[in-house]
Amino acid sequence: MSELSGRFQELLGLLSSSPALAIVLTLGAFFAGNRLFRLLKQPLWLPPILMSAMLVSGMIVILKIDYAEYREGSRWLSVLLGPATVALGVPLYQQMHHIRALWRPILFTLPVAATLAAVYAVVIAASLGASTEVLASLAPKSVTAPIAIGITEQLGGSVSLMMGGLLITGMLATLFVDFTARWLTITDPRILGFALGLNGHAIGTARAFEIGPTAGAFASLGMGLTGIFTAFILPLAFRLTSM
Amino acid sequence: MSMLNGFLVLTGFFIAGEALRVLLALPVSGGVIGMILLTLLLMLKGSISDSLAGSSQALISVLVLLIMPGVVGVFFVADEFAGQWLAIGAALAVGTLLSVLTTLWLMQRFSGPEGGGHE
């Protein structure tokens, strides 16, 4: 019996040092998370990625795999992140003609709102004594994940903490846009969509497509433009403030 | 096959973005630079090939898979940021409420009177 458990340990050691196990865990959780999401009738407050990530975490704790080991094994996935970021240019191009309909408010809103989305979070966290690493992880909180990963690495933040903040921001933005729009009596789907994409990245955009195709188009636009703008402005701002 | 064709274009733009980032010492990731180059080129061209549209769609639909390893880390950094969770929570909750308010208010203000009605 003890011989068998020894072999089992050997097998686990072998598997966790190869990327195959990390791939199986991640892919399996991806499908299971999507399935659960549909089973639960697509709750907006519980995005599929959160369910998948919880499944992977549970599995690597049970299998006694170190997170660093899993991260190393799943590194091949990150290789695709670069081309996937480039791919975001396609929906941006497809929605670009919508700018013409609303170019004035977009031109005035985007730079101010995208900058403030980062400034509000950084100022609040700094005033409550957060470290520089935490500030660098919170700053890109409204940016879509593939772009935000690049920004956090530039600023020297923690990708994991940033991802957590990103998810919470996306869910909160969805909630707050619904609530605030009712309070300000805003019903224009273009404005609602743009606000959802600017503040709530992919999660907000998913919500916007539920409102309708117009809101979804403007959310994609807001998400893409915010990502590009923030990717340029944050590294510059951090460089200036640390001088 | 056509899917791989589009993938080749995307990866090519990514490498071009990386090259520009290193050569011009830009503080922006190669992916973002490649994304901007692709958007500009498509706007100039005014059309997009089916294979490029198809493989972009495919990659975007598995983005969740690609970012998952980073998200999993959230559950393992609790100790690392002990004592800062109040600051983090307040920044996310209050910060997001303020930025949503700012966005909606600015958009409404600059939309003018004709902004609300017609579609």
Side-chain angles (χ1 to χ4, degrees):
Chain A
M1 199 59 202
S2 67
E3 198 187 338
L4 189 64
S5 83
R7 283 182 196 162
F8 189 69
Q9 285 305 321
E10 190 189 324
L11 174 69
L12 265 187
L14 186 77
L15 280 178
S16 54
S17 63
S18 91
L21 187 66
I23 294 170
V24 167
L25 282 177
T26 314
L27 258 178
F30 172 69
F31 287 121
N34 279 331
R35 190 160 213 179
L36 260 172
F37 185 64
R38 251 168 290 151
L39 268 178
L40 295 172
K41 300 198 172 67
Q42 322 205 341
L44 272 171
W45 47 271
L46 192 58
I49 176 126
L50 193 59
M51 288 189 268
S52 306
M54 286 195 288
L55 285 173
V56 174
S57 313
M59 284 305 287
I60 65 177
V61 168
I62 292 170
L63 295 172
K64 293 199 172 65
I65 301 169
D66 204 44
Y67 171 66
E69 231 169 348
Y70 163 73
R71 188 84 219 237
E72 186 58 39
S74 61
R75 180 165 282 188
W76 69 283
L77 283 169
S78 322
V79 175
L80 287 173
L81 214 49
T85 312
V86 176
L88 292 175
V90 172
L92 185 61
Y93 154 74
Q94 287 164 337
Q95 311 300 350
M96 207 57 118
H97 65 276
H98 287 297
I99 281 193
R100 254 170 257 147
L102 222 59
W103 68 271
R104 216 172 87 100
I106 288 177
L107 191 72
F108 284 109
T109 305
L110 181 86
V112 181
T115 307
L116 284 178
V119 168
Y120 287 142
V122 169
V123 167
I124 292 170
S127 68
L128 291 171
S131 67
T132 322
E133 192 192 1
V134 169
L135 299 184
S137 315
L138 290 178
K141 76 185 196 31
S142 284
V143 177
T144 182
I147 299 181
I149 291 174
I151 298 178
T152 308
E153 282 167 354
Q154 288 281 346
L155 304 183
S158 149
V159 171
S160 291
L161 179 61
M162 180 277 288
M163 283 293 196
L166 211 70
L167 280 179
I168 294 173
T169 301
M171 293 186 274
L172 287 178
T174 305
L175 206 77
F176 290 155
V177 167
D178 281 356
F179 172 76
T180 320
R182 221 171 299 149
W183 180 57
L184 292 171
T185 61
I186 296 173
T187 51
D188 189 337
R190 301 172 303 177
I191 294 183
L192 293 180
F194 196 76
L196 280 166
L198 192 153
N199 293 290
H201 49 89
I203 298 178
T205 303
R207 165 70 189 136
F209 273 108
E210 282 195 348
I211 299 176
T214 309
F218 276 90
S220 303
L221 193 63
M223 179 176 91
L225 294 176
T226 302
I228 292 175
F229 180 81
T230 315
F232 277 92
I233 211 77
L234 275 184
L236 284 176
F238 265 66
R239 206 176 278 179
L240 287 178
T241 49
S242 62
M243 270 198 308
Chain B
M1 267 312 272
S2 71
M3 193 89 128
L4 284 178
N5 213 321
F7 186 70
L8 177 64
V9 175
L10 292 175
T11 314
F13 271 89
F14 173 60
I15 291 174
E18 282 286 287
L20 276 178
R21 177 180 70 84
V22 174
L23 294 176
L24 303 178
L26 294 171
V28 183
S29 74
V32 174
I33 299 171
M35 173 193 173
I36 296 169
L37 289 177
L38 180 67
T39 311
L40 290 178
L41 204 83
L42 288 172
M43 284 168 74
L44 279 175
K45 208 170 144 239
S47 66
I48 180 169
S49 70
D50 288 346
S51 73
L52 183 56
S55 43
S56 302
Q57 180 60 43
L59 262 183
I60 291 171
S61 67
V62 296
L63 255 180
V64 163
L65 188 68
L66 307 185
I67 62 170
M68 190 119 69
V71 180
V72 171
V74 181
F75 300 107
F76 299 91
V77 293
D79 298 337
E80 214 177 305
F81 300 104
Q84 304 201 56
W85 291 106
L86 178 72
I88 294 167
L92 291 174
V94 183
T96 305
L97 179 61
L98 288 176
S99 75
V100 165
L101 263 173
T102 310
T103 313
L104 285 174
W105 183 75
L106 284 171
M107 284 297 281
Q108 194 184 33
R109 195 181 132 71
F110 288 110
S111 287
E114 88 275 41
H118 73 109
E119 181 68 307

